[in-house]
Amino acid sequence: MMIRTLIADDEEGPREQLRAALQRLAPELEIVSACANGVDAWDECLAQEPALCFLDIRMPGLSGLEVAHRLAQLAEPPQVVFVTAYGDHALSAFDAGVVDYVLKPVEDARLQQCLQRIRQRQAQVAEAADATDAAPTASAAASLPTATLELLRQLLPAHRPTMRPIQASQGREIQLIPPEDILFFQSDSRYTRVVHRDGEAWIRTALKELLTELDAQIFWQVHRSVVVNSRFVASATRVDENTMQLSLKGSEEKLPVSRQFQGLFKGQ
C-alpha cells in the first residue's frame, strides 16, 4: 500500500535531497507535497491528508513543532518525523519510537532506521484495524499520546507575541477589533470574514496567514475555512456519522466541523 507522504523544509537543497533519498529507499512512499514553509505544510496537510509527514523543525510562518502540534489535534493525525540541522538534546526524548527525528544532512543508514520504524507502525495500525474491526483512527491517534503532546507544548514557544487588534476597513472607516471580541473567522478564496461581538467585517488576510498569529490554545481551526474562538463555543452537535456543527454564544449561525477536527470535541 502506498503511504501518502508530505515533506516540508524551507531549504530547497535538503528538501530535494530528502525527496530523492525517500524515492530511492522507500518506493512505497508517495510524495504528495513538498512545502517550503510551515504555513503551506499545514494547509497541504488539510488538503492532501498525508499519512506521513517529514517536518523541518525551523521553518518560517509555523515551525515544524507547531505544525506537529496542530496535526496532533486531528481525528486521524499522520505519523510525524522531524528533520533538523541541530542536535537538540530535547529531541532525544522522541527517540523512543513514538515520533522519530533525523538530523541534516540525512544519512541513508539513519533514514533506513527511521523507515523501518514507520513500516512497523503501519503494520501495527493495520493489524489493530483488522483485529478489532475498528477504524484506523484510534490507532493512528495513539501515535501522539498525551506525554508526547505535553513534550511538544514544552518545546513550543511559551507564548506568541500578543495578537494585535484586527484592522478591518469599511468605507473610509478602519475598525480595530480586539481578538478577545472575535467569535470566528471564515474565509473564502480571497477574503476572510471576521465575526465579532458587535457585528462583522471583511479583511484581505488569508486564513492561513492569520493562523500564524493566533493563539492556538484559544483559536481552534475546525474546518479548512473556519477558525473559532473556543471561549465562545456553546456546543458541538453530531448531525450524522460524518457531520458535526458548532453553536457559538452570541451567534445564531451553525458552523461546520470537518471530520479531521471532530476529535477536538470528544466530550467526557
Side-chain angles (χ1 to χ4, degrees):
M1 183 180 71
M2 298 296 286
I3 301 174
R4 295 173 61 81
T5 303
L6 175 142
I7 298 171
D9 193 318
D10 61 329
E11 296 180 277
E12 182 178 2
R15 186 172 67 244
E16 294 307 312
Q17 187 253 341
L18 178 59
R19 182 208 293 264
L22 290 174
Q23 290 175 333
R24 177 164 40 84
L25 300 174
E28 75 272 27
L29 301 189
E30 178 188 6
I31 310 298
V32 295
S33 188
C35 307
N37 61 68
V39 176
D40 286 347
W42 170 241
D43 208 39
E44 281 292 281
C45 282
L46 297 182
Q48 301 290 342
E49 299 188 4
L52 173 64
C53 295
F54 288 84
L55 303 176
D56 185 16
I57 286 184
R58 301 194 181 193
M59 293 188 289
L62 293 172
S63 71
L65 290 171
E66 290 171 315
V67 175
H69 182 70
R70 291 177 185 275
L71 291 173
Q73 313 304 317
L74 299 179
E76 298 181 29
Q79 293 190 71
V80 172
V81 176
F82 291 129
V83 184
T84 178
Y86 306 91
D88 192 325
H89 178 71
L91 287 175
S92 62
F94 290 109
D95 206 17
V98 176
V99 185
D100 208 349
Y101 75 98
V102 292
L103 294 176
K104 292 192 276 187
V106 178
E107 297 179 350
D108 278 5
R110 180 65 182 87
L111 188 57
Q112 288 277 32
Q113 186 181 55
C114 172
L115 291 168
Q116 184 59 28
R117 288 180 176 175
I118 291 167
R119 290 166 181 140
Q120 289 174 350
R121 183 74 51 75
Q122 288 295 118
Q124 290 170 357
V125 170
E127 288 176 8
D130 289 343
T132 63
D133 197 27
T137 304
S139 298
S143 63
L144 283 176
T146 303
T148 303
L149 288 174
E150 181 56 33
L151 184 53
L152 277 171
R153 291 190 186 97
Q154 293 174 16
L155 291 171
L156 288 169
H159 297 288
R160 283 188 173 278
T162 303
M163 185 181 174
R164 295 172 297 178
I166 294 292
Q167 297 192 20
S169 299
Q170 285 202 339
R172 295 183 178 182
E173 182 184 44
I174 298 176
Q175 295 182 342
L176 299 181
I177 308 170
E180 59 270 22
D181 287 346
I182 295 171
L183 277 64
F184 64 90
F185 298 95
Q186 188 171 37
S187 71
D188 61 18
S189 58
R190 296 183 59 189
Y191 297 98
T192 296
R193 180 177 167 229
V194 184
V195 178
H196 54 94
R197 289 177 186 270
D198 300 318
E200 66 178 50
W202 290 83
I203 57 176
R204 293 188 178 183
T205 307
L207 196 63
K208 68 177 185 179
E209 293 176 28
L210 280 173
L211 282 170
T212 66
E213 302 178 9
L214 299 174
D215 185 339
Q217 300 297 318
I218 297 173
F219 288 93
W220 297 357
Q221 186 166 17
V222 298
H223 187 277
R224 195 175 183 196
S225 63
V226 180
V227 170
V228 300
N229 184 336
S230 59
R231 292 170 176 167
F232 286 98
V233 174
S235 64
T237 304
R238 190 173 295 282
V239 178
D240 55 40
E241 186 176 347
N242 298 312
T243 308
M244 181 179 281
Q245 288 183 334
L246 285 187
S247 296
L248 270 60
K249 303 168 189 171
S251 174
E252 295 183 354
E253 294 187 51
K254 305 293 184 184
L255 300 176
V257 181
S258 295
R259 178 179 54 81
Q260 302 145 296
F261 298 105
Q262 291 181 7
L264 289 168
F265 307 97
K266 298 176 181 175
Q268 300 293 327

